[in-house]
Amino acid sequence: AQSVAQPEDQVNVAEGNPLTVKCTYSVSGNPYLFWYVQYPNRGLQFLLKYITGDNLVKGSYGFEAEFNKSQTSFHLKKPSALVSDSALYFCAVRDITLSGGGADGLTFGKGTHLIIQP
Amino acid sequence: DSGVTQTPKHLITATGQRVTLRCSPRSGDLSVYWYQQSLDQGLQFLIQYYNGEERAKGNILERFSAQQFPDLHSELNLSSLELGDSALYFCASSGGTYEKLFFGSGTQLSVL
């Protein structure tokens, strides 16, 4: 089975400071990793993905994530946080063991609430 | 706007009842996914359809079923509802295997 862990339920950061939201994964093969963000009363929005290539992936709204194979991590980062970044963030991995073969449904972590304080 | 439309936005019903949630994917997307989001379980993958055919099953209960129609819209049927089925149900669509998912705004189901 493949899984994703987000060890922090909540992360608090002062506006203007760098932020990190942690994610670790467990897969049987090569991982395909994603970050999504959910604002209140909205569906999830795609931020960025890692399929292959450069370990540092840049995404929307100034976010980036670093893939670390040895630590099985895919932490989300941003150099300078904005109050508007406050939201619920989900890390996800493509689960290739789902029934049906060739399925591309994602397995999501439980989410991390990011709170940016003015 | 993600381009994925879900109806209704809110649904209140009683235990033992049956409901149908509807999803229209983004124009051109052949894959539709259903997810359940609750406070205790997080975001759980239920089922995926691709061009009308079931492609993958996740943690979907036997009381739940889904289908995708020729026009690519999808319906999730929930029957014999229990209090624990109260959750936010999301539909998402994608254009390909490694493409990102586009999520609808969800249907908030409350079972009383």
Side-chain angles (χ1 to χ4, degrees):
Chain A
Q2 302 185 350
S3 63
V4 173
Q6 294 181 241
E8 301 155 317
D9 289 336
Q10 182 170 307
V11 171
N12 295 284
V13 177
E15 186 176 26
N17 284 0
L19 68 87
T20 298
V21 182
K22 295 180 180 177
C23 170
T24 59
Y25 64 89
S26 174
V27 298
S28 56
N30 291 322
Y32 305 117
L33 294 155
F34 300 79
W35 275 101
Y36 284 81
V37 59
Q38 184 180 25
Y39 297 100
N41 302 314
R42 301 283 295 276
L44 279 70
Q45 298 176 33
F46 171 82
L47 276 181
L48 50 79
K49 68 179 178 183
Y50 171 84
I51 304 295
T52 187
D54 194 348
N55 289 342
L56 186 63
V57 178
K58 294 190 182 296
S60 306
Y61 312 120
F63 284 94
E64 59 189 26
E66 185 169 11
F67 171 66
N68 187 317
K69 188 172 184 177
S70 62
Q71 297 184 4
T72 62
S73 67
F74 189 56
H75 299 332
L76 181 69
K77 300 180 180 183
K78 187 174 182 180
S80 179
L82 299 173
V83 172
S84 57
D85 293 330
S86 298
L88 181 59
Y89 290 80
F90 290 93
C91 182
V93 65
R94 179 174 177 265
D95 188 344
I96 63 174
T97 64
L98 289 174
S99 63
D104 53 347
L106 294 176
T107 297
F108 285 82
K110 288 192 175 294
T112 298
H113 284 96
L114 177 63
I115 299 176
I116 309 301
Q117 295 151 335
Chain B
D1 183 10
S2 67
V4 178
T5 303
Q6 287 188 249
T7 57
K9 290 191 181 301
H10 303 277
L11 199 49
I12 301 174
T13 188
T15 55
Q17 295 298 305
R18 171 188 171 96
V19 298
T20 298
L21 312 184
R22 181 186 171 98
C23 169
S24 294
R26 280 193 329 153
S27 177
D29 284 354
L30 299 180
S31 282
V32 170
Y33 310 76
W34 287 98
Y35 285 85
Q36 179 194 59
Q37 185 179 29
S38 61
L39 286 176
D40 54 342
Q41 296 291 326
L43 198 60
Q44 297 283 318
F45 169 70
L46 297 178
I47 197 164
Q48 176 200 357
Y49 278 82
Y50 178 83
N51 202 21
E53 299 290 328
E54 181 184 302
R55 184 146 178 170
K57 266 186 176 180
N59 300 320
I60 188 166
L61 300 172
E62 287 191 6
R63 300 183 285 109
F64 296 0
S65 65
Q67 53 184 331
Q68 186 179 28
F69 295 86
D71 66 351
L72 301 178
H73 91 271
S74 178
E75 292 181 357
L76 179 66
N77 299 296
L78 315 176
S79 62
S80 302
L81 285 168
E82 302 175 359
L83 296 177
D85 297 327
S86 296
L88 188 54
Y89 291 83
F90 284 110
C91 168
S93 72
S94 77
T97 299
Y98 303 119
E99 296 300 313
K100 60 188 178 184
L101 300 185
F102 291 86
F103 282 80
S105 297
T107 294
Q108 181 67 59
L109 174 66
S110 298
V111 182
L112 305 178

